[in-house]
Amino acid sequence: SCRELNCSNCPLLTLLPDLPSCTSLCCSNCPLLTLLPDLPSCNSLFCSWCPLLTLLPELPSCNSLFCSWCPLLTLLPDLPSCTDLYCSYCLLLTAFPVLHPSASIVSQGCPLLNLEAQEVPPRDLNTCRIHWKDLNEDPLKVLRSLLPFLREGPFPNIVFLKEDGTPQEGSDAGGLGRHLMSELFAQLSKLNCIPTNPGTKRLRPTATVNPTAAEKEILEALGLLFIEAANGNLPIGQIFDLAFFTDLHAFSGRNLREYKEAPQAWIKKKCSESNSHIALAIKGYTNLAELIELGITEASTLENMELEEGKLFVLNASIEATVQQEAPWYEAAYLIASAMQGQPGWHSLRSLSVDELHASIEGLFSKEAFKRALQWQGTADASTQAYLLKWIDTQNEEKVKDLLQFSTGSRSLTGEPVIVMISAPTREGTFPFPTSHTCVRQLCLPTGYSSQGMFDDKVNESLESAKVSGFLYR
């Protein structure tokens, strides 16, 4: 009855059992896997980096197929429901199968594919199609679908797909990308998709001492998205703990090399520096009782020691405890920084302070900053301006962020203005709702509101309608 199976990175796995009910199978990086079972219900199949795989089963329900780096794969089954196909570096692949009419194909590194001779026309390789359902229910799938684009080139153009797989109206000139970044990171946080320290209000990513390929892939994608966020004014929103940006800031080019060569020694050095205040305090202690009161180690351990011996023991125990706590944080920050290294904009980010690094990736937000960012254009209508400013003052912060996202696609400010275009209604007999053009960061407000209450109602209805339909902005 298995519906989801993740058996990636199993070096001795050669066969899988029958999976008639499985809707999602991830078996990437299984070097001895030679055959897959029938998968009649599978919607999503990740079988990249399976070097002995030569054929795939019938996949009548598959929406997304990731089979890159399968060098012996010679043929793909028909995929009538597939809207996302990643088959890069399948060296023996000669033809595309039948695909959904709106399918997105990434197929670089396939030398035997003659794109001009295919019945399926070549697609725009820099357009990433995102299902709204995946964004809301499986953001890691969206993160993985972005990764090939991020590795190969600039941030892709975004097309959102409806439930039936057809593209939603809207052409991406920046607004849809900003909307994707805000929603993706919000869902990654909400659904606990990023390993993090329990109990923290915001995320501080962690990684195991020997991270799996899946962990590395997630952290690589985060690093590449951070670069895009900073370079392209695509802020991700207030998601991560400031301590994480302190960790990330610690990795200059030199520190990356030192950490890679001796991670435990590097972490111990950093933790020794962070424990310098304890070392200073311990230095002035005059008896063992003061050391015992610190509670860093058991009293019975210290009772039979000389004072100086006890001081050294407590200091080393404090440093070791800090190393154990902070090692997972530094490992995650190292993997993220490694993905960022060498990307355009990395050297500029390294020169920033921790606060500047944080702002460049996440953006900033406050009601006052939002009001300062407003740039008035069109009709000089003082009443409409006053209604908007009063609305911002009286709403809670999340509601004001909704309006910012409605206007720009993003829930954070980047220093760029938010244009407010005020103009007379164009249709007689009806009073239009506020609209927006997120690509140019523009909120469009009609004149003629008779009261603050009428203005508030129209704005609130527009925001609620946008949430129900996914987005109404363009």
Side-chain angles (χ1 to χ4, degrees):
S1 302
C2 177
R3 295 183 60 82
E4 295 186 7
L5 174 62
N6 187 339
C7 56
S8 298
N9 309 299
C10 294
L12 301 182
L13 190 65
T14 58
L15 287 174
L16 294 174
D18 291 337
L19 296 166
S21 302
C22 184
T23 59
S24 178
L25 172 61
C26 185
C27 57
S28 300
N29 199 25
C30 293
L32 299 185
L33 190 61
T34 58
L35 188 66
L36 298 181
D38 289 339
L39 298 165
S41 304
C42 186
N43 295 322
S44 177
L45 173 60
F46 294 82
C47 58
S48 301
W49 296 94
C50 291
L52 298 185
L53 205 58
T54 58
L55 288 174
L56 298 180
E58 296 296 320
L59 296 165
S61 304
C62 186
N63 296 320
S64 300
L65 173 60
F66 295 74
C67 58
S68 300
W69 294 98
C70 293
L72 299 185
L73 196 60
T74 58
L75 185 67
L76 298 179
D78 285 343
L79 300 164
S81 302
C82 184
T83 54
D84 295 291
L85 172 62
Y86 295 81
C87 56
S88 300
Y89 303 101
C90 291
L91 304 181
L92 301 183
L93 199 62
T94 59
F96 290 126
V98 173
L99 294 165
H100 190 279
S102 65
S104 171
I105 304 171
V106 178
S107 60
Q108 63 265 37
C110 298
L112 300 185
L113 274 178
N114 181 2
L115 295 179
E116 295 181 359
Q118 304 301 315
E119 292 184 5
V120 178
R123 308 291 177 178
D124 179 2
L125 296 185
N126 200 42
T127 295
C128 185
R129 291 164 172 80
I130 305 293
H131 286 265
W132 277 110
K133 183 178 181 181
D134 291 337
L135 190 57
N136 291 324
E137 298 179 6
D138 191 2
L140 280 180
K141 179 180 177 181
V142 175
L143 194 69
R144 294 188 189 100
S145 69
L146 285 168
L147 192 52
F149 295 97
L150 300 173
R151 285 170 173 167
E152 297 296 328
F155 192 82
N157 298 319
I158 301 301
V159 173
F160 286 109
L161 301 180
K162 303 175 187 177
E163 288 190 6
D164 62 2
T166 59
Q168 194 159 10
E169 292 181 11
S171 177
D172 187 15
L176 299 186
R178 287 191 292 270
H179 189 78
L180 172 65
M181 290 287 268
S182 286
E183 291 299 311
L184 174 60
F185 278 91
Q187 291 302 109
L188 288 170
S189 174
K190 179 181 178 181
L191 300 180
N192 300 314
C193 295
I194 301 173
T196 190
N197 187 47
T200 52
K201 185 176 180 182
R202 292 186 178 174
L203 300 186
R204 190 177 183 185
T206 63
T208 55
V209 176
N210 295 305
T212 65
E215 282 183 282
K216 290 181 179 179
E217 191 176 65
I218 291 172
L219 296 172
E220 178 193 0
L222 292 181
L224 295 175
L225 284 174
F226 289 163
I227 285 285
E228 295 294 342
N231 289 347
N233 285 318
L234 301 168
I236 65 174
Q238 285 71 53
I239 302 295
F240 293 93
D241 196 288
L242 186 60
F244 161 68
F245 291 99
T246 303
D247 299 340
L248 192 62
H249 189 266
F251 287 107
S252 65
R254 177 181 176 183
N255 283 342
L256 279 170
R257 291 192 297 272
E258 291 178 353
Y259 183 95
K260 183 177 182 180
E261 292 170 0
Q264 287 299 311
W266 189 93
I267 294 172
K268 190 169 185 177
K269 179 182 176 183
K270 293 293 293 184
C271 292
S272 297
E273 295 170 358
S274 66
N275 279 262
S276 59
H277 64 289
I278 294 179
L280 185 62
I282 289 174
K283 187 176 181 180
Y285 286 0
T286 58
N287 57 70
L288 289 174
E290 292 176 312
L291 292 176
I292 292 172
E293 286 180 2
L294 286 174
I296 293 174
T297 190
E298 295 291 333
S300 57
T301 306
L302 295 172
E303 286 174 350
N304 298 321
M305 290 186 180
E306 297 293 332
L307 179 60
E308 293 304 315
E309 181 188 7
K311 288 180 179 181
L312 182 60
F313 185 88
V314 168
L315 179 59
N316 287 336
S318 174
I319 292 172
E320 185 58 34
T322 307
V323 168
Q324 294 299 317
Q325 179 185 34
E326 298 193 3
W329 294 332
Y330 279 123
E331 179 66 17
Y334 163 74
L335 292 171
I336 290 171
S338 297
M340 298 170 73
Q341 184 185 34
Q343 298 295 320
W346 166 245
H347 290 290
S348 298
L349 289 179
R350 285 171 51 197
S351 66
L352 301 179
S353 68
V354 173
D355 288 338
E356 290 169 336
L357 178 65
H358 165 227
S360 69
I361 293 173
E362 288 199 336
L364 298 171
F365 183 83
S366 71
K367 288 186 180 182
E368 291 304 314
F370 186 22
K371 290 193 291 186
R372 289 193 299 269
L374 299 178
Q375 187 178 97
W376 308 98
Q377 293 185 8
T379 304
D381 185 76
S383 296
T384 304
Q385 293 183 17
Y387 290 149
L388 176 59
L389 295 175
K390 182 66 177 292
W391 184 92
I392 293 172
D393 287 335
T394 56
Q395 302 297 316
N396 64 48
E397 192 169 277
E398 288 304 307
K399 196 65 171 286
V400 180
K401 285 182 180 180
D402 288 344
L403 181 63
L404 176 60
Q405 188 170 22
F406 181 87
S407 307
T408 68
S410 173
R411 299 180 71 82
S412 291
L413 296 161
T414 62
E416 292 189 336
V418 180
I419 298 168
V420 183
M421 178 63 69
I422 300 176
S423 58
T426 56
R427 292 177 295 170
E428 295 184 5
T430 61
F431 197 85
F433 290 93
T435 58
S436 63
H437 302 272
T438 59
C439 292
V440 293
R441 306 172 62 85
Q442 184 183 78
L443 173 64
C444 301
L445 296 176
T447 60
Y449 293 104
S450 60
S451 67
Q452 182 73 50
M454 180 184 183
F455 178 90
D456 292 355
D457 289 344
K458 290 291 185 180
V459 172
N460 293 336
E461 285 182 50
S462 290
L463 297 183
E464 289 304 312
S465 179
K467 287 182 180 180
V468 171
S469 62
F471 60 93
L472 292 178
Y473 11 92
R474 335 172 244 167

